[in-house]
Amino acid sequence: MTQYAYPRELRLLTPVDFQNVFNNPPVKAVSREFTMLAKPNDLAYPRLGVTISKKTAKRAVDRNKIKRIVRETYRLKQHKLSGFDIIVIAKPGVTKLDNHALSELLNYLWRKLSKRCVQYSSAS
């Protein structure tokens, strides 16, 4: 079984990194609870940023739980997303989902985003 890590270099850390993706992202995957934006980077690996506003999830424990599940599902799917900076934005209603439903929805969105990233890469 292959081990996938989530080291610091796989994260979007600076506001400049986030802004770069927010400005005109060519690839998107959207559901009622999440929006995923992706933009090609010059690296051989994907990087992830997660945003959850206090308006979306009032309690810090809820925001942290959602972030943990997003990061874990990303960690397991990262090998299919090479060379993209990705931002996951949580929307209102995400706190109503239990952990299993969150994981299922995120796995579906990762598959959708991965296909669109491949299509975008081959079209460019």
Side-chain angles (χ1 to χ4, degrees):
M1 176 144 167
T2 309
Q3 293 288 322
Y4 299 110
Y6 184 57
R8 189 174 173 86
E9 58 264 11
L10 293 183
R11 302 175 192 167
L12 293 176
L13 299 171
T14 66
V16 172
D17 291 338
F18 275 84
Q19 202 56 52
N20 183 33
V21 179
F22 280 128
N23 293 338
N24 209 6
V27 183
K28 297 177 187 171
V30 180
S31 75
R32 186 180 299 139
E33 291 85 6
F34 289 102
T35 297
M36 291 185 174
L37 308 173
K39 193 169 192 176
N41 62 27
D42 298 330
L43 308 168
Y45 50 87
R47 296 187 303 172
L48 175 71
V50 182
T51 65
I52 304 172
S53 70
K54 286 184 182 176
K55 189 175 178 182
T56 300
K58 293 194 181 353
R59 299 181 327 156
V61 68
D62 293 332
R63 292 191 301 276
N64 291 334
K65 177 189 85 162
I66 294 163
K67 282 191 232 176
R68 235 183 346 265
I69 293 170
V70 168
R71 288 183 187 131
E72 178 60 13
T73 58
Y74 164 77
R75 185 182 72 81
L76 298 172
K77 302 284 184 200
Q78 68 190 14
H79 59 284
K80 296 182 179 177
L81 298 158
S82 62
F84 279 83
D85 287 345
I86 302 158
I87 295 180
V88 177
I89 305 163
K91 297 189 209 171
V94 72
T95 54
K96 293 183 177 92
L97 298 175
D98 66 355
N99 291 1
H100 181 71
L102 267 173
S103 294
E104 290 295 314
L105 174 61
L106 286 163
N107 284 329
Y108 165 74
L109 287 170
W110 287 124
R111 285 192 303 274
K112 196 167 157 181
L113 190 74
S114 152
K115 286 178 188 167
R116 291 182 179 172
C117 287
V118 168
Q119 289 171 348
Y120 178 80
S121 295
S122 62
S124 299

